[in-house]
């Protein structure tokens, strides 16, 4: 038996071999099917998204053996490793990045060449060109190290984690599209009216939106590939999440 793990034990029951790993994987598949059916009954988008993100994070933390820090790294590495449908997730989103570093890159960089009413996808040439513009100006003003750090923080997969954090901490998810036509992240421009410091503000901005359906699809894609990985490596999907974890009694892991 490898590493003397209990799931390597095969038990012969009435001429049939019981494989614990296969049993655990099938149990997870039954559980996720039931869970997704229940989520579909929910109308509130925030609750749906929180559940999808929780499932992804559950798998990511399990895969990384429940680390006590750098949880965002665990999440993003897991998603990148186990998804195989969206090859832009490691790319940089220039729109949220622009608003983050606007005070540094303006006037050399702006969003004026984006056409009002157009819908842009992450692979649009306008989008990839804008990343290069911002990177060039950040390097010129603040150096390569600063530019690299900011660009990495605005990869799509990292922005997904920021979306998860805002949902969890504020129960807020403004960057969402209910479009049934566009099923992946996209950009739209919109006019806003809000109160800031006692004054009524009107502005027009571009927003990155993650459709609810995209987050669900990403969750299922990661799950299926993770379970296939468990079968291939012959390890149960919950190998690190047993009753012997310290947090089961102490409520803390360390």
């Amino acid at each position: 038996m490898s590493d003397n793990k209990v799931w390597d034990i095969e038990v012969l029951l009435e001429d049939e071999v019981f494989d614990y790993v296969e049993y655990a994987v099938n149990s997870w598949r039954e559980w996720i099917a039931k869970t997704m059916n229940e989520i579909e009954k929910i109308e509130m988008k925030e609750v749906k998204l929180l559940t999808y993100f929780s499932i992804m994070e559950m798998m990511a933390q399990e895969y990384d053996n429940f680390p006590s820090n750098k949880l965002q790294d665990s999440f993003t590495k897991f998603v990148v490793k186990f998804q195989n449908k969206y090859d832009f997730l490691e790319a940089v989103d220039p729109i949220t990045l622009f608003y983050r570093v606007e005070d540094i890159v303006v006037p050399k960089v702006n969003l004026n060449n984006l056409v009002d009413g157009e819908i842009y996808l992450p692979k649009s040439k306008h989008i990839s060109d804008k990343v290069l513009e911002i990177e060039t100006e950040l390097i010129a003003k603040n150096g390569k190290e600063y530019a690299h750090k900011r660009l990495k923080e605005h990869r799509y997969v990292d922005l997904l984690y920021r979306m998860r954090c805002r949902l969890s901490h504020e129960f807020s998810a403004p960057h969402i599209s209910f479009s049934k036509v566009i099923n992946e992240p996209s950009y739209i421009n919109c006019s806003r009216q809000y109160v800031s410091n006692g004054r009524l503000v009107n502005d027009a901005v571009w927003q990155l939106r993650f459709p609810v359906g995209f987050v669900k699809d990403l969750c299922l894609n990661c799950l299926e590939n993770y379970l296939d990985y468990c079968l291939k490596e012959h390890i149960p999907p919950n190998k690190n999440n047993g009753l012997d974890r310290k947090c089961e009694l102490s409520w803390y892991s360390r």
Side-chain angles (χ1 to χ4, degrees), residues 48-58 75 159-161 163-165 167 210 215 218-219:
K48 285 187 173 184
L49 285 165
L50 269 174
T51 309
Y52 299 144
F53 279 120
S54 293
I55 292 171
M56 281 191 281
E57 183 136 34
M58 170 195 70
F75 178 90
L159 293 174
L160 274 169
Y161 190 79
M163 180 177 176
R164 167 260 176 216
C165 289
L167 271 164
F210 286 116
V215 179
L218 181 65
C219 175

Side-chain angles (χ1 to χ4, degrees), residues 89-102:
L89 285 179
E90 291 186 88
V92 175
D93 159 45
I95 304 302
T96 59
L97 176 61
F98 171 79
Y99 290 120
R100 177 88 175 276
V101 299
E102 187 174 4

Side-chain angles (χ1 to χ4, degrees), residues 18-81:
F18 174 77
D19 187 321
Y20 177 73
V21 172
E22 185 176 342
Y23 166 80
V25 167
N26 288 337
S27 295
W28 269 49
R29 287 196 167 118
E30 291 175 6
W31 170 77
I32 198 66
K34 180 180 179 180
T35 300
M36 289 298 171
N37 286 336
E38 291 299 317
I39 298 173
E40 287 303 312
K41 300 175 185 178
I42 299 171
E43 294 185 6
M44 186 176 291
K45 63 183 184 295
E46 288 84 0
V47 175
K48 285 187 173 184
L49 285 165
L50 269 174
T51 309
Y52 299 144
F53 279 120
S54 293
I55 292 171
M56 281 191 281
E57 183 136 34
M58 170 195 70
M59 293 184 290
Q61 301 309 313
E62 160 66 43
Y63 179 70
D64 205 17
N65 197 13
F66 298 97
S68 57
N69 54 31
K70 296 186 177 180
L71 302 184
Q72 181 169 339
D73 284 346
S74 295
F75 178 90
T76 56
K77 288 176 182 177
F78 177 86
V79 171
V80 168
K81 179 178 177 62

Side-chain angles (χ1 to χ4, degrees), residues 131-179:
V131 174
L132 183 58
E133 287 180 38
I134 296 175
E135 180 180 15
T136 300
E137 191 63 13
L138 285 179
I139 291 174
K141 293 288 183 62
N142 285 25
K144 289 184 178 181
E145 184 176 348
Y146 177 87
H148 175 75
K149 180 180 179 181
R150 287 292 173 263
L151 264 67
K152 185 177 184 300
E153 290 171 342
H154 285 264
R155 297 185 308 166
Y156 292 98
V157 67
D158 287 278
L159 293 174
L160 274 169
Y161 190 79
R162 304 315 305 169
M163 180 177 176
R164 167 260 176 216
C165 289
R166 188 162 183 189
L167 271 164
S168 178
H169 300 158
E170 302 177 21
F171 202 62
S172 173
H175 309 301
I176 298 169
S177 169
F178 285 105
S179 171

